[in-house]
Amino acid sequence: MSPHRIAGRDQGAPIRFSFDGEAIEGRAGDTLASALMASGVRLMGRSFKLHRPRGVVTAGPEEPSALVTVVRPGRRDVNLPATMVELFDGLEAHSQNRWPRLDLDLMSVTGRLGSLFSAGFYYKTFMGPQGAWERLYEPLIRRAAGLGHASTEADPDSYEIVHAHCEVLVIGSGLAGLSAARAAGEAGRRVIVLEQDRAFGGGALVDGALESWRSSTLAALSAMPEVRMLYRTTAVGAYGHGVVAALERVADHLPEPEPFQPRQRLYVIRARRIVLATGAVERLVALANNDVPGVMLATAARAYVNRHGAAPGRSAVFFVNNDEAYAAVRDLKAAGIAIAAVVDPREPTPIAAEAEAAGLPVLFGHEVTAVRGRRSVAGVRVRKRGTMQERAIACDLLGLSGGYSPQTQLAAQAQLGTAWIEAIAGFAAIGPSPDAEAFSAMIPAGAAAGVFGRLEAARHGAAAGARAAGLASDPAQPPAEAREPAVPPRRDGPIMPLWEVRGRGKAFVDLQNDVTADDMRQAAREGYRHVEHAKRYTTHGMGTDQGRTGGLVGAAVLAAAQGREVSAVGLSKPRPFVTPVSFGALAGAETGAHFKPERRLPLHGWHEAHGAVFVRIGLWLRPLVYSGGDTSWGPVVAEARAVRSGVGITDVSSLGKIDVRGRDAAAFLDRIYANGFSSLSVGKARYGLMLREDGIVFDDGTTSRLAEDHFIVTTTTGKATEALEHMEFHAQCVWPELDVRLANIADHWAQFAIAGPRSRAVLSRIVAGLDLSNEGFPFMAAGEAIIAGVPGRIFRISFSGELAYEVAVPAGHAAFVWDAIMAAGEPDGIRPYGLDALNLMRIEKGHVAGSELNGQTTAADLGLGRMLKKKGDFIGRALAGRPALAAADRLQLVGLHPVNKARRLRNGAHLVSAGEPKRSQGYLTAACMTSEGPHDWIGLALLEGGHGRHGERMIATSPVHDEAIEVEIASPHRLDPENARVKA
Amino acid sequence: MSKPERGLGWGGLPPPGHHGALGRDPVKLQAFMRDAVEVRLAPGMAEALRHAAAGLGLALPGMGESAGTGSATGAVTTLGLAPGEWLALARPEEPGAFARRIASGLEAAASVVETGHGLACFSVSGRAAREVLAKGCRLDLHPAVFTSSTAARTVIAQIPVTLWRKDEAGAADSPVFALAVPLTFAQSFAHFLLGASAGTGAEILPASKD
Amino acid sequence: MLRITCPHCGPRDEIEFRYRGDASLSRPGPEDDAKAFQRYAYERENPAGMHLEWWLHVGGCRRALKLQRDTASHVIGGAGEP
C-alpha cells in the first residue's frame, strides 16, 4: 500500500489511470485529486498567470488550483477540478498551463517577475502602437497565460435537456437538505433533491458520527415514491418564478457514455418552493505563499482522510480561527497524521481548550505569517500576534481555516438577498421578504442561511422543508428524535474574523487568477472602490471556482484598504452559471441540422423522387429546381419556358393560409389590409397589401371570399406566422367588438399552382362541379370544386404572369391529386417547376416578393401606392402619409437589365452612377436569367427616385466580386404589362 | 379514375421494430390519423351551441370557460383549447364528411373549420412515456396534474403540439399520450420522439387509422 | 425565464408567449391623424417598475393576456384577459 494511504481505512478495488503520462493506481471511490494525493503527487498544475506550482486546496467544485485536462478518445475536457473528476479505469489526465513539463515549467519565470504582473498590468503595459494589441501583445499573452486547450474536434457525445416539475426542490443534501427533503416528503409533496457530489450527505459524508443518521434518512427518502434524488447534479442557476437549472454529469465518471445515454443532462426544474441548502465553503487566509502545494483547507484535509483514506501529509500545522476546524484536526490525528501545531489567533474557547487538554499542541494568540517551501510545504513561520518574533515549524501540510462562507449564489440570483452575520463573519441568505417571495419562492436553510452546527442545521432544514411543503411555518412539535442526528447541540465559541496576515511574499486572495492581497490594495488605491469594479480590474472572483474560497477574503482586504467594513463592501453579484456548464448541455438535442425543426411539404417525397434540389428557406425545405443536382441556370430556364409555352405545376403549399369567418370578417379585413375587401364579391379573389402601423409594407397575398362571412387569406411563406399573430392580436386586443374568428389552415390544405397557356385544358380534364371557361371562371375567380374526385378549392390567380390556377386539396390527398394532374397534363408536356423558376417568372412580371418586402419599403416605393384606400381606417393609414415616406429620393422599385444582355447580374450589387462611383444609390434585390433570350439577364432593384429614372444607365457594382456592370433602368413590369395573358 | 385514399401526408416513423436502448421497459410509438375540425363559438350563441352540440352527441368540455380539458364521446374526442374554442377529432371518414356533419349540426352557433389533414398524430405510451416526453415537453405530466381528461396546447422541440390523454380509465401507470403536430413538422417531431425515446428504448408500431 | 400564469392554460414558460408591447395604449381612431398614431406607434414610458403589457399565448390557447410585470424585478403582478 502506498505510504500516502491511511492504514485500516476501507479501500476500494484498484483502478489504473495516468497523469501526465505516468501510470498510477488509485482506488474505486477516488477522485483524481484523492488518487494523486494517495500516490504522493502534490504538484498538480501551474497557476494561470504566474505559473506558480499548485496542488489541491479543496475537496469539491470550489477547487481553485488543481485544474486538469481529461482526454478520452475523440474527447478533451479542460479546466476540470481534479476534486470533481471521478476515477475510472484508463482515465488519462494532464496538467495545464506548463511548458514543457509540469515539474520544469520554463514559463515560471513570470512568477519570478511577479511584482511586474500586478493588477492592471496588461492594460497599462501593452499600449500602442496602433494594431500592436491584435498582432503582437494578445498572441503573446495567450501563449503565456491561460488554462487548458479545448478540443477542436466535433463533440462525439449527446446531451439532453429534461423538463421537471416539483412542489419542493431541495438544493443540497447535507444535514439541512436531507432534513428538508424528509419533512416535505413525509408531507406527501413531490420533491426533487439535487446533490452535486457523487453521494448524498454533504458534510455528513466526512463526519463518522453522522453516518447512521445519513443512511437511515436516505433509506426513508428512497421509500417515498414522490421524492426524486439526483446526484452528480449541480444547480447552476436560479431564474426566479421557481425555475432552477441543474446539470447532471451522467457519464463524466465513465470512459464513455453508455449506449443511447447522454454525457450530461440539463434539468430545467419548475418548483413551487425551493429549499436552498447549499451549505458553506471554507475560506482561506491571505498570508505569504499560501499557494504552495500542501496548503489546504482544513475541511478538505478531513475529507481526504475520512472519505478516501488518503493522507494529505505526514506532519500538519493547522491555522484556524474557529472551533469547527478542530474536528478536522482531531480526525487527522486519529488517522495517524502528526499534528505539529494548531495555530489559533483567539483566546482559548472551551472546544479549543479541550483539544489542548487532549494533547494537541495549540498555540493560542498566534498566527502563521508565511509558508516555507516552493514546490511543497516545508514548514511555516509562526509568531505571537502583536509581536515581531517569528519561529519556524517544520511540516508538510498547512490546514487553513478562515471561517465558512454560506453558498448564497443561487439566493442572490433569485433576488432573495443576503445579510452579514457577525457570528460567522460572513454573508448568509436571508428571507424571503414578501417581494422576493413572489419571485424566488426560495427558503434558505442550514449553513446557507448561516445556521451552523449539526443538530441546528438539521432542525433548520426540517423546518424549511415543512414550510416549503406548506405546513405550519413554525411547527409546534420539533421533528421526532429519530429523524435527527444523534449529536449534541453546537457549543462552538466565537470565530475571530481573520482575513490576512501581512508578511513578505505573495498572499493570494484568488488562487485561480493569481490575485494577491496587494493587488486588491492597488485596485483600491487606483480608485476601483466598488467590489464589482475591483473584480473586473483584478479578475478577483472570476474563473471556474468563481472565487468561492477567497472571494470574501479579497473583499475584506479591499474594505480594509478603504477603511470600510467588509459587510459594507460586499461580494460581487454571482450570475449564472455558478459552476461551468458545457455548451453541449445547453444545446441539448438541438444541434447541427436539428438546431431548428424543419418543415416539409406534404409532397416532399414526390419532389425528392423526381430530382428536386431542395433549398432551406426559413424552416421550409422547398424544391428549388428539378434537375437531379444540376444547379446551373439551364434547368431553371427550361422549367420557366415550359410554363410560358405550355403548362407547369409547382407546389405552393408553404403559403400561409388563414380561414376568416364571422359577421364582421369583411370589416376586419378592410382594417387589416390597406386595400378594401368588403367590396369583394363572393366567389372572387383579390390581391391584398398589409401594412404595419408605421406605414411600411408588412405582407401581401391573395384573399378570396367564399361566402359573405367567410374568407380565405393567404400570406407569404416567410411571414405566415407573424401575419397570423398580427391578425389575432388586432382581432382580440384592438377591435374585440368585431365578430371575427381566425383559424390556421396552412397545413390542412396542400396547394399547387398550375400555370401556362395550357393550364385550363389540363385542369378541365379532372375538375368536376366548376365551369372553368374564361366566362364561367374568369381571372381572379375563386370557388369550390371536385378535383380528381377530391373536394377542394380553385383560385384563378397568377404569380407567373401566365394563365394560371391554384388548386387546394386536403394534404392527405395531395399526392393523389398531384399525380392526377401530372397524368392529365401529360399530353401537354406538363412539368414541375421549382422555386427558382417561380422566382424567375415573377421577376419577369415585376411582382414583389420577400426581398422587396424587406421591412423598409412603402406601398408607394413598390409602385403600389394607388392600392391604399382613400376612405376608411386601416393599419398604417395615418403613418403611411408622413411626408418623409413620400420623399422623391426614396428607394423605389425598378427593373433593369445589363447593357450587354449576357452579363451576369448579382443580388445585392449596388447601383452607382459613373460620375459618383462610391455613392450607392440603391441595390439589386433580385436577378435571374430570363426565359426569353438565350442567355439574357434581368433584375429588380430599389433605386433612389427610381420611378422617374427609367431609361437611365448606371453601374451595378459588386466590389467583393470585383465587378462593375453597365445596366439600364426600366419598368419592373417587363412581361405582358397589359396583363393580357392572365386574362386569356 | 381511382378512388382517392387518404395518406399520412409525410414519410412516417421508421419501419415497425425496436429502436434505441435495450433492457428497459420500452415506450410504444405510433403514428395515427384523424379527421378534425376546429369549432369556434359565435358571439352570444353559447346556449344555442350547447343545445346543438347535445343534439350531435358532442361534448364540449369547459364550455366557454377555459382551455385544458378533453372528453371523448363515442367516436369523437373533443378538446377544449381556448374559451369558446374546441378541436373535435374522429377516425378518418369519406373526404369532408365529418366536417359537413358537425357544421350542419351546429349551424350558426359556431364556425366549423376542417383542419384534420394538417395534423400528424402520434401516440407515446407505456411506463416511461412521461420520462420520454419530459425531454421536450415543458408541461407537468404528473398523473395528478395531467389527468386522463386533460388537454393542452404547448410547444415541444420548437414545434406546436396539441396534447391529450388517449388511455383507458385507470391507466396512470401506463399512460397513452396523444400528440398532434402540424403535418409539415411531422418529420422533425418524429426525430424528436426517436431521440427522446432512445435512452429508454421504443417499440415502433405500424401507422394506424384507429 | 418568466413563468406566466395564463388564465386559460395555467402556469407556462415564457417561451410559449409572444410579447406584444404596452397594453396601456389604445389605438387611435379612424379620424385621428399621424400625430396621434406617432404616439401610439413610437412613444413609450419605459418605466422601471410595474408595466402593463400584452402577451399573446401563441404556444398555447393563442389568446392575448394583459400582464402586470415589474420591469426591474420581473415580479408578475397578475394576468387577465383583454
Side-chain angles (χ1 to χ4, degrees), chain A residues 239-537:
Chain A
Y239 299 88
H241 301 279
V243 178
V244 167
L247 183 74
E248 180 182 12
R249 298 176 301 279
V250 180
D252 285 353
H253 62 294
L254 302 172
E256 61 177 25
E258 304 277 355
F260 301 106
Q261 300 302 322
R263 176 189 163 213
Q264 294 177 343
R265 184 177 283 140
L266 188 77
Y267 285 93
V268 181
I269 304 168
R270 297 138 186 96
R272 195 170 299 161
R273 284 278 181 275
I274 300 163
V275 176
L276 184 78
T278 40
V281 163
E282 198 163 30
R283 296 191 288 259
L284 52 78
V285 177
L287 55 88
N289 305 323
N290 60 348
D291 66 330
V292 176
V295 178
M296 192 176 298
L297 296 172
T299 45
R302 187 187 190 201
Y304 287 112
V305 167
N306 290 356
R307 272 190 93 177
H308 302 289
R314 295 172 197 212
S315 171
V317 167
F318 279 84
F319 181 29
V320 305
N321 66 345
N322 62 84
D323 282 350
E324 190 93 23
Y326 279 84
V329 181
R330 277 195 305 272
D331 285 0
L332 261 67
K333 182 166 192 269
I337 295 167
I339 307 298
V342 180
V343 182
D344 191 330
R346 304 174 300 169
E347 296 301 311
T349 63
I351 285 177
E354 282 168 22
E356 189 183 31
L360 285 167
V362 185
L363 299 171
F364 290 109
H366 279 65
E367 61 195 7
V368 173
T369 60
V371 177
R372 295 168 49 233
R374 270 183 36 75
R375 291 208 187 149
S376 183
V377 171
V380 295
R381 292 190 174 281
V382 174
R383 72 178 170 209
K384 192 168 173 57
R385 280 169 67 84
T387 69
M388 296 304 287
Q389 193 167 1
E390 296 183 353
R391 65 182 163 109
I393 301 177
C395 64
D396 63 357
L397 171 68
L398 173 62
L400 270 185
S401 181
Y404 309 87
S405 290
Q407 294 300 287
T408 59
Q409 296 88 347
L410 296 168
Q413 288 167 16
Q415 298 174 15
L416 200 62
T418 57
W420 180 258
I421 311 272
E422 206 61 58
I424 61 167
F427 289 98
I430 51 156
S433 73
D435 202 37
E437 175 104 2
F439 182 76
S440 68
M442 189 181 274
I443 303 167
V451 176
F452 285 78
R454 295 170 293 183
L455 194 57
E456 291 77 6
R459 285 182 178 165
H460 197 244
R467 190 165 154 218
L471 306 179
S473 59
D474 192 13
Q477 299 291 320
E481 268 181 28
R483 288 169 177 70
E484 293 189 344
V487 291
R490 183 173 195 254
R491 54 192 189 92
D492 286 15
I495 188 174
M496 170 191 280
L498 179 73
W499 313 105
E500 182 188 11
V501 180
R502 301 284 288 264
R504 280 214 315 273
K506 289 188 179 302
F508 289 92
V509 296
D510 183 328
L511 292 162
Q512 191 166 108
N513 294 294
D514 279 340
V515 181
T516 65
D518 283 339
D519 290 329
M520 300 309 288
R521 278 186 280 274
Q522 186 187 338
R525 268 200 312 280
E526 296 183 10
Y528 297 93
R529 293 175 57 83
H530 196 285
V531 68
E532 300 284 0
H533 293 152
K535 170 181 177 173
R536 279 148 190 82
Y537 190 55

Side-chain angles (χ1 to χ4, degrees), chain A residues 165 239-241 243 268 270 415 435 438-439 693-694 721 724-726 728-730 732-735 873-879 882, chain C residues 1-3 13 18 20 27-35 37-38 40-42 54 56 58 62-64 72-76 82:
Chain A
H165 298 258
Y239 299 88
H241 301 279
V243 178
V268 181
R270 297 138 186 96
Q415 298 174 15
D435 202 37
F439 182 76
E693 199 67 89
D694 65 0
T721 305
L724 177 61
E725 288 171 15
H726 175 79
E728 287 174 323
F729 175 76
H730 283 88
Q732 293 179 42
C733 305
V734 181
W735 305 302
D873 198 14
F874 60 90
I875 293 171
R877 168 188 60 84
L879 294 182
R882 286 179 291 174
Chain C
M1 179 180 88
L2 303 176
R3 286 277 283 171
D13 287 6
R18 187 90 70 224
R20 293 291 310 202
R27 188 178 183 273
E31 308 306 322
D32 286 313
D33 61 3
K35 209 163 195 109
F37 276 92
Q38 160 88 19
Y40 173 65
Y42 295 113
W54 287 115
L56 194 59
V58 291
R62 299 201 72 92
R63 292 304 162 101
S73 70
H74 277 320
V75 170
I76 289 176

Side-chain angles (χ1 to χ4, degrees), chain A residues 77 129 159 211 247 296 302 346 367 434 540 635 649 812 890 900 957 962:
Chain A
D77 299 309
Y159 299 81
E211 183 49 35
L247 183 74
M296 192 176 298
R302 187 187 190 201
R346 304 174 300 169
E367 61 195 7
H540 172 242
I649 180 170
R890 281 186 61 82
N900 172 357
T957 175
D962 199 19

Side-chain angles (χ1 to χ4, degrees), chain A residues 851 905-911 920 922-927 940-941 956-961:
Chain A
S851 45
L905 296 176
R906 290 183 194 274
N907 285 350
H910 280 264
L911 294 173
S920 172
Y923 56 92
L924 271 75
T925 56
L940 296 175
T957 175
S958 176
V960 288
H961 300 100

Side-chain angles (χ1 to χ4, degrees), chain A residues 178-198:
Chain A
L178 288 184
S179 301
R182 186 164 188 180
E186 283 176 349
R189 296 294 173 267
R190 292 167 62 194
V191 179
I192 295 176
V193 180
L194 305 179
E195 172 51 57
Q196 65 189 4
D197 199 276
R198 63 197 178 283

